[in-house]
Amino acid sequence: MNLWQQLRKILQLRFSPNSLKGFVSLVLVGTVLSVSLAACSGTNTSNDTGKSQNVELTLVSFAVTKAAHAAIIPKFVEKWQKEHNQTVVFKQSYGGSGSQTRAVVDGLEADVVHLALALDTQKIEKAGLIQAGWEKKFPNNAIVSKSVAALVTREGNPKGIKTWADLAKDNVKLITADPKTSGVARWNFLALWNSVIKTGGDEAKATEFVTKVYKNVPVLTKDAREATDAFFKQGQGDALINYENEIVLAKDKGEKTNYILPDVNISIDNPIAVVDKNVDKHGNREVAEAFVKYLFTPEAQQEFAKVGFRPVDETVAKSKEFADKYPQIKTLGTVQELGGWDAVQKKFFAEGAIFDQIQAKNKR
């Protein structure tokens, strides 16, 4: 029986306002209206604090963070539910950092972005979606996960590859992605460049060395996943540059891995940011910022460390569980030492910059 059928039946009781029967009928009418209107409001009800019972959050991240977020998100949801009596429903998207960045700029309404490099986050900022100064809104300059570059070799390391310098030998073939299209490949390039600068070489020597290395690259793949497939599945090359976290995760899954962590390395820093324009539109800024802050807690950092990322929390990094898993790097360079991502992009990867000059020289 629908609302109007119920009202019609009550009103057919022939009551007068002054009669007991009429009074009871009026009460019934009010009750039916109250219950029916509450039912019509659906599931978007409010609790005592005035909050909706459900809040939706869209996380957009680069592919290799998926395993970490799969462990972290349920813990945050449980914590938020307990403290706020509110359920957070996550929508998640994972892919190459560059493609994820373009998707957000083109209209994917991310509330939180966790990307491979700050350059990608800056592109979203320049599109007007993230407010300037986002790096200062969260701990550690908003770097929530990090790694270093690893040299992966064939079983038994038949070419005797032990350092970055070995990649410039004539009989070595290196597999890596194209830094013009891949964020991971930019880190690879900077690791090579940094290996010369940090050991006393000048920019001329760094350019000469990196030119020799890229001459040994038979084909530049579009992204890091294609590079990994070319090395492992297609058997191309003698060495592969990859994130340490990818190798650690593969090792933990029981896969055979042969890799070296060079003593001179680059800190691969992955930032997190709230997409201001979208959270203000969606009205979920409070939970978005709380989630980002939660990612820096020891509890969340342990989950990152379990799947290959070096913890940004010192207590986790120095714990018995992870201190041996992630050996200290003797000489670790940073993008900041190279002038920051705007300077790095302009100097190395823009049209006609150093990488293009290297490629043109190698094609002669």
Side-chain angles (χ1 to χ4, degrees):
M1 185 180 293
N2 62 31
L3 170 63
W4 300 114
Q5 288 173 327
Q6 294 178 58
L7 288 174
R8 190 179 299 113
K9 184 174 181 181
I10 293 169
L11 292 171
Q12 286 172 349
L13 292 175
R14 294 184 183 180
F15 61 85
S16 67
N18 296 324
S19 68
L20 177 61
K21 190 175 181 179
F23 174 76
V24 172
S25 299
L26 284 172
V27 172
L28 287 170
V29 171
T31 301
V32 170
L33 281 171
S34 298
V35 172
S36 300
L37 288 172
C40 290
S41 66
T43 58
N44 190 24
T45 57
S46 298
N47 57 27
D48 293 337
T49 63
K51 290 183 178 178
S52 170
Q53 292 294 324
N54 292 341
V55 59
E56 192 173 273
L57 202 64
T58 299
L59 168 67
V60 173
S61 189
F62 63 111
V64 297
T65 66
K66 188 174 182 178
H69 285 302
I72 293 169
I73 286 173
K75 292 187 175 185
F76 173 77
V77 169
E78 181 181 4
K79 182 175 185 292
W80 188 265
Q81 175 70 48
K82 184 178 180 180
E83 295 177 355
H84 299 269
N85 191 28
Q86 188 178 48
T87 301
V88 185
V89 179
F90 275 82
K91 286 186 174 180
Q92 300 170 62
S93 174
Y94 299 93
S97 188
S99 61
Q100 294 291 74
T101 299
R102 288 190 295 273
V104 173
V105 170
D106 291 342
L108 175 57
E109 293 191 359
D111 298 305
V112 175
V113 287
H114 181 190
L115 299 171
L117 60 166
L119 181 66
D120 287 340
T121 314
Q122 288 167 0
K123 289 177 182 177
I124 299 175
E125 176 191 343
K126 289 175 181 178
L129 299 175
I130 295 177
Q131 294 171 5
W134 56 270
E135 307 95 323
K136 303 301 179 184
K137 292 181 181 178
F138 299 105
N140 199 41
N141 287 322
I143 301 302
V144 74
S145 60
K146 64 181 181 179
S147 192
V148 294
L151 278 176
V152 187
T153 66
R154 295 297 176 191
E155 187 171 358
N157 194 9
K159 294 293 180 77
I161 298 167
K162 296 179 180 179
T163 67
W164 296 115
D166 293 329
L167 299 178
K169 293 178 179 178
D170 292 337
N171 66 335
V172 171
K173 295 299 180 185
L174 173 68
I175 301 299
T176 184
D178 188 342
K180 300 297 288 286
T181 59
S182 166
V184 174
R186 288 187 179 94
W187 286 115
N188 295 350
F189 180 98
L190 294 178
L192 293 164
W193 181 273
N194 178 73
S195 71
V196 176
I197 300 300
K198 282 289 187 180
T199 52
D202 57 16
E203 292 199 355
K205 285 190 175 296
T207 302
E208 180 184 3
F209 169 68
V210 176
T211 301
K212 287 181 179 179
V213 172
Y214 277 91
K215 191 173 184 178
N216 288 342
V217 178
V219 59
L220 287 168
T221 62
K222 182 181 66 176
D223 55 35
R225 181 57 56 198
E226 284 190 8
T228 300
D229 288 345
F231 184 78
F232 286 107
K233 294 181 180 180
Q234 300 167 23
Q236 296 186 42
D238 304 300
L240 167 75
I241 309 177
N242 207 339
Y243 281 6
E244 177 194 30
N245 60 275
E246 284 272 73
I247 307 305
V248 170
L249 184 59
K251 185 178 179 181
D252 289 346
K253 288 180 177 179
E255 297 178 22
K256 286 186 176 181
T257 55
N258 303 274
Y259 69 101
I260 302 109
L261 294 178
D263 287 339
V264 180
N265 217 306
I266 191 85
S267 182
I268 298 172
D269 299 331
N270 317 132
I272 190 120
V274 168
V275 185
D276 296 289
K277 187 173 182 179
N278 291 340
V279 296
D280 289 340
K281 176 182 177 180
H282 301 154
N284 58 3
R285 177 179 287 276
E286 181 185 9
V287 69
E289 291 183 346
F291 173 66
V292 172
K293 289 176 182 177
Y294 179 74
L295 295 179
F296 290 92
T297 65
E299 184 178 30
Q301 283 297 308
Q302 286 173 6
E303 298 301 334
F304 278 115
K306 287 176 184 177
V307 295
F309 290 96
R310 292 185 167 233
V312 300
D313 184 282
E314 285 301 313
T315 59
V316 178
K318 294 177 180 178
S319 68
K320 183 181 291 187
E321 183 178 1
F322 300 115
D324 292 337
K325 189 172 185 176
Y326 300 106
Q328 283 193 329
I329 303 298
K330 185 177 178 181
T331 306
L332 195 63
T334 67
V335 167
Q336 286 69 34
E337 291 172 345
L338 295 172
W341 272 111
D342 281 340
V344 165
Q345 176 67 16
K346 183 177 180 180
K347 181 174 182 175
F348 296 109
F349 308 122
E351 292 300 314
I354 288 176
F355 181 73
D356 280 351
Q357 293 168 20
I358 287 171
Q359 288 299 91
K361 186 175 181 179
N362 283 336
K363 288 178 180 178
R364 292 173 190 167

